[in-house]
Amino acid sequence: QQQVKQSPQSLIVQKGGISIINCAYENTAFDYFPWYQQFPGKGPALLIAIRPDVSEKKEGRFTISFNKSAKQFSLHIMDSQPGDSATYFCAASKASGTYKYIFGTGTRLKVLA
Amino acid sequence: SAVISQKPSRDICQRGTSLTIQCQVDSQVTMMFWYRQQPGQSLTLIATANQGSEATYESGFVIDKFPISRPNLTFSTLTVSNMSPEDSSIYLCSGHSLNYGYTFGSGTRLTVV
């Protein structure tokens, strides 16, 4: 009920390509779905987030697609750049209350120059 | 976004000793949390740091091993007690604000020898 499953575990993409990372959740009470980007030696930083009242949110080259009926959401990185090479975590939580996040297992992205 | 300062950034400690990690957040943060992250792994919530009262621990974490203080809104400490090599990990402080969601510190990389 509390798990967030993330795939793939690692991803290699050519510069200019599209990186796609997928997450699936079980708890239908979750209503806030952020993505975090983490560089080595740094804490995770919020990249983009979505609530289930919309099916897509775009910020620059980053897009979240959300499928409420399938309980899945994904991160798309368009025109991937070597500077995007990092570990990406999806998460899920309730937007109010304890604010505790359940994190996915992470995806290590490498963008080749 | 909220600013979170965490120190030390890294330490190497002898087994059986204790280490206290400090976390300073700016005034936008209402809730504070402590996470553990094994290298290359996801984030596991240790506890919610409550202002002026005992922290709320997640399953598998106990106060005797990870005592937490939060004497005021903007400061918290996590102590890793009686350390063993299994405690070697990255410890992350995070804060939640209504405007910015979760913000993480840069983490403390702990090695127990």
Side-chain angles (χ1 to χ4, degrees), chain B residues 51-72:
Chain B
Q51 182 196 356
S53 64
E54 190 172 292
T56 303
Y57 290 85
E58 298 300 306
S59 175
F61 298 96
V62 295
I63 187 172
D64 290 345
K65 178 66 177 177
F66 298 102
I68 289 170
S69 77
R70 187 180 176 190
N72 56 55

Side-chain angles (χ1 to χ4, degrees), chain B residues 34-87:
Chain B
W34 288 96
Y35 281 84
R36 184 170 70 182
Q37 184 179 29
Q38 304 284 3
Q41 302 296 317
S42 188
L43 293 84
T44 300
L45 180 63
I46 297 172
T48 303
N50 300 310
Q51 182 196 356
S53 64
E54 190 172 292
T56 303
Y57 290 85
E58 298 300 306
S59 175
F61 298 96
V62 295
I63 187 172
D64 290 345
K65 178 66 177 177
F66 298 102
I68 289 170
S69 77
R70 187 180 176 190
N72 56 55
L73 264 180
T74 61
F75 184 78
S76 178
T77 65
L78 167 73
T79 299
V80 186
S81 303
N82 187 25
M83 288 183 286
S84 66
E86 291 71 35
D87 295 321

